[in-house]
Amino acid sequence: MLGAIEAGGTKFVCAVGDESGKIIEKIQIPTTTPKETMSLVKEFFIKFPIKAIGVGSFGPIEVNEESAKYGYITSTPKPGWSDFPIVQELKAAFNVPVGFNTDVNAAALGETTFGAAKGLDSCLYITVGTGIGAGAIVQGNLLQGLSHPEMGHILVRRHPNDTYAGKCPYHHDCLEGLASGPAIEARWGAKGDQLVDRVEVWDLEGYYLAQALMQYILILSPQKIILGGGVMKQKQVFTAINKYLPELLNKYVTLPELTNYIVSPKLGDNAGITGALMLALGASHSS
Ligand code: ADP
Ligand code: ZN
């Protein structure tokens, strides 16, 4: 049996499952203080004979094993969680190997192993939710360098009619600043799920995401692009992306049929937690 945690800014999803990706039991714990949240996490896992734990976490996190802070959630503005050694806490509690990566890298791994990118050796998983982030599988491996990629913070060209300043505390009008769920809410004055009939909202969303996808395609050349997260529940955003992306690429790159190339997660909301199970499996093999 393997343990999996999808650690998010609002909730922790904890699950136990097996190496076939089957989830046996799953719970949600609100993200409050590390002390409170982690004690409920431990209470859940203590009931099961787990041989490893995988964590897909909100970030930024330290994934470089050479670093003294490996296993830490690092510079988050989330109160109490900055410089929190989550891997060390879990190892101390359960004495099992712990796999650790970003939430989006976990989702990319889940979708490549069992979902929309099954059988492919590259894919890009992008979440458009409270933040924007992406995880990439390149030549069969999760893309990692100095640290994990932060693809949500790239710069995009502003729409000439868009006067909204942008929501990113670091860069204002980066992609996340202009196109995340909170950016939509701040620009239009209502949450995304209240704006379903406002065609211009989703057209602008597609305008920005298509630019981002263009850059990701040009740089990484993924075989499949999977778009998840709350905002992508609006299927009209896919339509807008499919309108703008060909205009931007202007036939310079040949892509497969877009409705089959840019897709929703096949594992749905379980992409991240299933990927975390695979991080646990990886950790159990390498220990
Ligand atoms: P998180 O990123 O916190 O893990 P989500 O992926 O659900 O969670 O993203 C939350 C954001 O997505 C919020 O800004 C919310 O307003 C937006 N959102 C959630 N559901 C929808 C929906 N059905 N349509 C449009 N926007 C949505
Ligand atoms: Zn930014």
Side-chain angles (χ1 to χ4, degrees):
M1 198 178 261
L2 300 164
I5 303 174
E6 191 182 13
T10 45
K11 62 178 192 291
F12 272 46
V13 180
C14 298
V16 288
D18 64 22
E19 51 182 90
S20 74
K22 190 174 116 193
I23 292 163
I24 297 160
E25 203 170 315
K26 185 170 94 165
I27 58 155
Q28 285 191 15
I29 294 166
T31 311
T32 56
T33 61
K35 191 162 180 267
E36 212 170 73
T37 304
M38 291 307 289
S39 96
L40 293 172
V41 167
K42 289 174 200 166
E43 218 169 85
F44 173 72
F45 285 116
I46 202 81
K47 299 178 287 185
F48 305 100
I50 44 173
K51 63 173 189 183
I53 301 175
V55 184
S57 176
F58 71 105
I61 63 175
E62 183 54 82
V63 289
N64 177 359
E65 297 195 30
E66 309 295 306
S67 165
K69 285 195 177 171
Y70 171 75
Y72 280 52
I73 294 171
T74 56
S75 52
T76 174
K78 182 112 190 124
W81 291 91
S82 175
D83 273 338
F84 180 71
I86 188 166
V87 169
Q88 286 77 353
E89 280 253 338
L90 292 166
K91 278 190 175 156
F94 297 104
N95 196 28
V96 294
V98 177
F100 186 50
N101 222 308
T102 62
D103 44 7
V104 277
N105 272 343
L109 193 57
E111 285 292 324
T112 306
T113 318
F114 302 111
K118 190 174 170 188
L120 303 178
D121 73 354
S122 67
C123 89
L124 187 64
Y125 181 96
I126 306 164
T127 184
V128 187
T130 305
I132 300 183
I137 304 268
V138 177
Q139 294 179 319
N141 293 306
L142 281 172
L143 183 64
Q144 184 176 320
L146 268 182
S147 180
H148 53 81
E150 281 287 357
M151 293 187 235
H153 293 268
I154 62 168
L155 299 178
V156 287
R157 276 188 202 150
R158 227 170 221 290
H159 190 283
N161 299 337
D162 185 15
T163 55
Y164 174 59
K167 186 92 187 160
C168 177
Y170 298 92
H171 322 108
H172 310 293
D173 61 355
C174 66
L175 177 70
E176 178 173 298
L178 292 173
S180 64
I184 293 172
E185 184 179 351
R187 180 190 292 107
W188 302 100
K191 284 190 190 297
D193 58 0
Q194 304 298 311
L195 297 165
V196 180
D197 299 328
R198 297 275 300 275
V199 180
E200 67 277 23
V201 172
W202 310 110
D203 190 76
L204 186 67
E205 186 67 12
Y207 178 85
Y208 288 127
L209 290 175
Q211 292 186 52
L213 262 48
M214 174 183 183
Q215 338 240 352
Y216 305 149
I217 290 166
L218 294 174
I219 294 170
L220 296 170
S221 199
Q223 289 161 303
K224 188 78 85 176
I225 296 178
I226 302 158
L227 281 164
V231 172
M232 296 312 298
K233 302 238 155 100
Q234 296 302 323
K235 298 301 171 202
Q236 18 185 354
V237 180
F238 286 91
T239 314
I241 291 170
N242 294 355
K243 177 179 89 177
Y244 285 114
L245 183 60
E247 286 174 14
L248 288 167
L249 286 170
N250 200 20
K251 299 200 170 81
Y252 186 66
V253 183
T254 309
L255 295 177
E257 169 60 43
L258 289 188
T259 50
N260 189 36
Y261 179 57
I262 302 169
V263 299
S264 296
K266 197 169 173 188
L267 303 176
D269 293 337
N270 278 336
I273 198 73
T274 307
L277 272 181
M278 295 303 102
L279 290 174
L281 184 63
S284 75
H285 286 158
S286 63
S287 69

